[in-house]
Amino acid sequence: MDWAHALPTLTASFLASVVEGVEALTVVLAVGATRGWRPALVGTGLGVAGLALVVLALGPALTRIPIRDLQVVVGFLLLLFGMRWLRKAILRSAGVIALHDEAAVYSGKSAQLQGVARVTDPKWDAVAISTAFEIVMLEGMEVVFIVIAVGAAGGTLVPASIGAAAALLLVVLLGASVRAPLARIPENALKFAVGVLLSGFGTFWLGEGIGVDWPGDDLALLVLVAWFFGVALLAVRFCRLRRTVSVSAG
Amino acid sequence: MGAVAKTLRKFMGLFIEDGSLAIAALIWAAICWWGLPRLGVNPQATAILLAIGLASILAENVLRAAGKAK
């Protein structure tokens, strides 16, 4: 196995899956606590089944696409995905936008769900089931995309899947034992790390696809990750400075 | 139709939050793919320019966002 690819792949899918898992868990816990655990688990189960269908449909289709085309498309999508996360993480670290607050999301969702009229048969509480289903599908789609994208373009689907499975198992175990939103997980630091990794991966695969010649070959991936990390750290400093100037002038 | 549009919008939302960032990255990738080789830039230099350009686009975007923040 090529560890220059496998290790960053495993790390990226693990960290991204922790972030997405924690976000999904918060809403599922809110559904369970306010509307009952049965509809929360039914919605979650339906969401997981929906995701399995997406994987079964997408997986074989991807193997038919020529590797160069796959690298261009997947590389560019990974780059956009990674830069979107990194952009948000930089702006949050610099205090430009507010940090994500799991406890606030939990309270808001709980209040919203308590406000919806209860059904006579709590087993088929459509509001609760659809809320749990929607969040699992939404956050799960991001996990599926990351696993398939980082895995398929570099032939490292196994470490990517192991990383995601380990993360989701960890989140479920923590959620089951704590029974409260995992607000202490450093969400922005994780998002920052995943953004850096996926920006590096995306740039590398995009470059491979468009026919550039990376100095150092596969080791260039590690250099790219370090490059985006350095630029992102500098960007946080300059954004803080810029924000301070902008606030004091306004 | 509404559900399809909603799903598509959510799918696009996975990748694009700020349209200008996505468009600038797309243009720079296209320049590195088609433009630079036609100007005689070698593939190793193109690789380095691709990485520098994409990181610069991200840095410019967040600095612009920080400048606009109240």
Side-chain angles (χ1 to χ4, degrees), chain A residues 174-195:
Chain A
L174 281 174
S177 61
V178 176
R179 294 257 180 134
L182 304 176
R184 283 195 187 166
I185 297 254
E187 199 257 1
N188 201 51
L190 290 179
K191 220 159 197 170
F192 195 100
V194 176

Side-chain angles (χ1 to χ4, degrees), chain A:
Chain A
M1 187 178 288
D2 179 3
W3 287 102
H5 282 197
L7 204 60
T9 299
L10 194 142
T11 311
S13 70
F14 177 82
L15 296 179
S17 303
V18 168
V19 173
E20 300 300 348
V22 166
E23 289 181 6
L25 177 75
T26 299
V27 176
V28 171
L29 284 173
V31 172
T34 55
R35 314 282 301 198
W37 291 102
R38 185 190 280 263
L41 293 176
V42 168
T44 303
L46 288 173
V48 172
L51 290 170
L53 283 177
V54 172
V55 172
L56 287 175
L58 269 183
L62 281 176
T63 58
R64 296 200 190 101
I65 302 171
I67 189 72
R68 271 283 163 94
D69 297 342
L70 188 69
Q71 284 173 339
V72 171
V73 175
V74 167
F76 189 65
L77 290 179
L78 261 183
L79 177 70
L80 289 184
F81 194 95
M83 291 212 300
R84 181 176 74 92
W85 275 36
L86 191 49
R87 175 183 188 275
K88 200 175 251 180
I90 290 169
L91 293 174
R92 281 178 175 161
S93 296
V96 176
I97 56 175
L99 288 170
H100 185 80
D101 184 350
E102 286 301 329
V105 172
Y106 180 81
S107 309
K109 202 73 196 174
S110 297
Q112 187 192 336
L113 286 165
Q114 274 166 345
V116 180
R118 290 198 167 265
V119 288
T120 47
D121 183 1
K123 277 185 202 165
W124 298 108
D125 184 343
V127 172
I129 292 173
S130 66
T131 303
F133 171 78
E134 196 176 320
I135 193 71
V136 171
M137 277 298 282
L138 193 69
E139 305 299 343
M141 277 301 288
E142 300 200 36
V143 172
V144 167
F145 167 75
I146 291 167
V147 169
I148 289 181
V150 296
T156 48
L157 209 52
V158 172
S161 306
I162 290 172
L168 295 178
L169 186 66
L170 177 73
V171 169
V172 169
L173 287 177
L174 281 174
S177 61
V178 176
R179 294 257 180 134
L182 304 176
R184 283 195 187 166
I185 297 254
E187 199 257 1
N188 201 51
L190 290 179
K191 220 159 197 170
F192 195 100
V194 176
V196 163
L197 284 166
L198 296 187
S199 299
F201 268 110
T203 305
F204 184 82
W205 292 126
L206 176 65
E208 289 277 299
I210 67 176
V212 305
D213 181 8
W214 290 111
D217 295 320
D218 286 355
L219 286 178
L221 177 58
L222 302 179
V223 177
L224 281 170
V225 169
W227 163 245
F228 274 101
F229 182 61
V231 170
L233 284 183
L234 272 178
V236 171
R237 277 183 165 236
F238 282 109
C239 281
R240 274 197 196 126
L241 210 66
R242 184 110 199 239
R243 185 173 173 268
T244 312
V245 171
S246 163
V247 168
S248 51

